[in-house]
Amino acid sequence: MTDDEPAERIRTDGGTAEGADDVALDPWGSSTVSDYRKLFEEFGIEEFDEVLDEVPNPHYLMRRGVIFGHRDYRPVLDAMRDGDDFAVLSGFMPTGDPHIGHKLVFDEIIWHQEQGGDAYGLIADMEAHSARGIPWDEINEHSRDYLLSLIALGFDPEEGELYRQSDNDRLQRLAFELGGKANFSEFQSIYGFDGETNVSHMQSVVTQMADILYPQLDDPKPTVIPVGPDQDPHVRFARDLATRMRFFKVTEAFASFELDDAERPLVAAAHDAREEYAEDADMPRCGEAAEWLADADLDAAGVLVSESVRESAVEKLENAGMEPLRPRIRFFARQATDEAFEALIEDIEGEKRRYDQHIDAFDMDVDEAEELAREVEAHHGGYGFIPPSSIYHRFMTGLTGGKMSSSIPASHISLLDAPEEGYDKVKSATTGGRDTAEEQRELGGEADKCPVYELYAYLLTGDDDELAKEVYDECVGGERLCGGCKEQAATMMREFLEDHHEKREEAEEILDSLDIDLETERRGVAAEH
C-alpha cells in the first residue's frame, strides 16, 4: 500500500449476507451479523479505525477493514511498540474441518506472534463435546487437522503453546477458581442458560474464561483474543472475572466519600474549576464545589451527564461540607490477604492515609497505582490479571450466499479440500455481478456483496494491497466480468491449497514431536440435547 492510497480505498464491507440475522451475539448460535455498526452502539465494541494508525506494521486484514472492531486493544499496542511482554490467544472448536473462515483467526494469532507476542492456540474439545455433542474420536481427528493447518500457516510451536482444554491441568485449576466468582444468574443473562442446560456445558464456559486468562497465569500481561463478534459475550464475561479476581480496586477520589463512575468526571471538573469559586484555590471546600456544580455549564466543561447524576454528586459534596476537595488515588482491599494489604501500605511512597478497607495515596497517578497494586498482588499469591483485550473480524460470506457453514460443504472451502475441489467451488460460487455482461460494463459489479471478491480481500491477495484494490476497482468500474474474475480466483485458490497441503505434510513431524495427546480415549457419552 502506497502513501497516496489509504486503506479505506481497498476495503470490503464483508459481503453482508442476504437474510442475515439481526445483531445477537450468541457463541453457539448464528454466525452472521446484519449490521456491524450496531455492535458499536449496542455492545460497546470500538471501531478499529481509531487505533489503526497506532499499529506497527498492520496486518492486511486490519488495513482492509476485515478486522473492524476491538475492545481495549491499546494496552496490547503499547506493549508491542515498547517491546514489553504481551500475549495472543484464540481457540478452535473441533466440530468439523478447518476452513478458510478459520484461517482469519490463524493469521491473527501468527501475526501477533511475529510482532513479539507470546502466542497460544487451543483446542476447545470440552466445549465441542458438551455444547455440540461431538464424540471424542471425531474430536481427536479434527483437533489434529486444526493444529496441522495452524502450524503450516506459520505458527511457531517452539515459541508458543498449543494445548487441548481437557488435558491442561493448570487450566482446569484456574477454571475452578474462576467458577467461584461466577453465578448461575449470570449464565442465564449472558447465555440464556436455563434448567435444561447440562452442567458440562456450563463448566465448559468457565473453562473458556480460564482459556482467555491462561496466558497471564505466570505473569500478568496485556493479552488480545482475536475472535468473531459472536464470541464477544465470552470476552466481556472474562473481563469481569479478571476484575473480580483482583486483590485491590484502584480508583480516583477527591474526598472521604465514594463516587460512582458517572459522578467522578463531575467532581473532577469542579476541582479543575476551583479558582472560579474557592476562597482559597489551594484548599477548595466540598461545599463550595457543590454550589459551583449545581449551576455550572457542564456542556462548556465538556462533561455530558444526566441531571440526576449532577444532583447526586452535588448532594455528596454538600454533605461533605468543609472537607477539602483534594484528588487522591484510592486502593480498596477487595479480597487481599492481610499480608498483601500491609505490603501495599509499606510500598506506597509519599503521603498516604490508611483506613480499615482502603488506602488513600496523594502522590501518585492511576497508572503508577495500578502497576503497584498488581505487583503486590502477584508477589503475595494473587493473579494480578489485566482485563483481556479483543479484536473482531467480519464473517466471510458463504460461497453460495448466506453464511459460511462447516455443515454446508458448498458454502466453504476446507483447508483439507483437494486443490481441484477448491478450484471447482470457486468457479461455482455466487458473485456480486449483474445479470448480463452489458449491465456489468454499464453499472459495474457489486464487489461489496460478492463472496468471490471476499476471497481476494480476505485470503488470495495476501499482503498485496495493489492487487486487492485493482480487482475491486475493475469490478465496480465495469471492466472486470465475473467469468474471468472467478477463473483468476479459482486458479489462485488451487495454488494456495497446493502450497498449504505441502506445508501440512511438513507440519506432521513438528506436531508429532509436541506433547499433545491426539489419540486420547474418553469415557462417557456425548451430551444430549
Side-chain angles (χ1 to χ4, degrees), residues 347-364:
D347 288 350
I348 294 174
E349 297 182 353
E351 184 182 353
K352 54 195 169 187
R353 293 179 186 171
R354 173 180 179 163
Y355 302 87
D356 286 343
Q357 294 299 318
H358 72 267
I359 310 161
D360 284 355
F362 295 87
D363 297 318
M364 61 194 323

Side-chain angles (χ1 to χ4, degrees), residues 244-278:
R244 293 177 207 174
M245 295 293 287
R246 293 296 308 279
F247 277 12
F248 303 103
K249 177 183 178 181
V250 178
T251 65
E252 292 180 281
F254 293 86
S256 60
F257 55 81
E258 299 303 330
L259 296 166
D260 63 29
D261 290 342
E263 296 165 342
R264 195 168 287 111
L266 290 179
V267 178
H271 181 267
D272 290 343
R274 60 192 179 277
E275 291 188 358
E276 298 179 22
Y277 61 79

Side-chain angles (χ1 to χ4, degrees), residues 70-263:
H70 75 98
R71 209 179 265 289
D72 197 24
Y73 189 49
R74 282 192 172 89
V76 175
L77 291 178
D78 291 342
M80 194 182 299
R81 288 193 304 270
D82 296 342
D84 295 333
D85 290 341
F86 70 95
V88 58
L89 173 142
S90 200
F92 310 94
M93 187 161 58
T95 58
D97 292 346
H99 58 64
I100 56 175
H102 299 122
K103 183 181 178 293
L104 298 179
V105 183
F106 291 154
D107 287 344
E108 292 170 69
I109 295 173
I110 293 164
W111 179 84
H112 282 91
Q113 185 180 47
E114 292 171 346
Q115 308 313 305
D118 298 330
Y120 298 78
L122 70 101
I123 298 297
D125 55 354
M126 293 177 67
E127 181 184 5
H129 186 64
S130 64
R132 298 290 178 84
I134 308 298
W136 287 108
D137 57 347
E138 289 186 27
I139 288 174
N140 290 338
E141 179 182 354
H142 295 320
S143 297
R144 184 176 188 85
D145 286 331
Y146 275 93
L147 294 176
L148 281 174
S149 282
L150 179 58
I151 294 170
L153 289 166
F155 183 91
D156 184 352
E158 292 186 1
E159 296 296 328
E161 181 176 344
L162 303 173
Y163 68 86
R164 292 178 62 159
Q165 289 176 326
S166 60
D167 286 339
N168 191 323
D169 292 337
R170 296 187 73 205
L171 178 80
Q172 296 301 321
R173 290 194 293 272
L174 175 58
F176 180 80
E177 296 292 337
L178 293 174
K181 299 298 180 184
N183 58 65
F184 183 66
S185 63
E186 291 176 303
F187 286 85
Q188 289 178 303
S189 63
I190 297 172
Y191 303 110
F193 288 174
D194 56 27
E196 300 301 313
T197 305
N198 69 68
V199 175
S200 292
H201 192 174
M202 289 186 278
Q203 181 183 355
S204 77
V205 171
V206 180
T207 303
Q208 288 172 80
M209 301 302 100
D211 284 323
I212 292 172
L213 297 173
Y214 180 73
Q216 300 190 58
L217 259 183
D218 293 324
D219 180 29
K221 61 176 74 69
T223 301
V224 60
I225 314 298
V227 287
D230 59 331
Q231 300 300 304
D232 184 59
H234 290 327
V235 174
R236 282 182 278 137
F237 195 16
R239 286 175 62 85
D240 286 345
L241 290 177
T243 299
R244 293 177 207 174
M245 295 293 287
R246 293 296 308 279
F247 277 12
F248 303 103
K249 177 183 178 181
V250 178
T251 65
E252 292 180 281
F254 293 86
S256 60
F257 55 81
E258 299 303 330
L259 296 166
D260 63 29
D261 290 342
E263 296 165 342

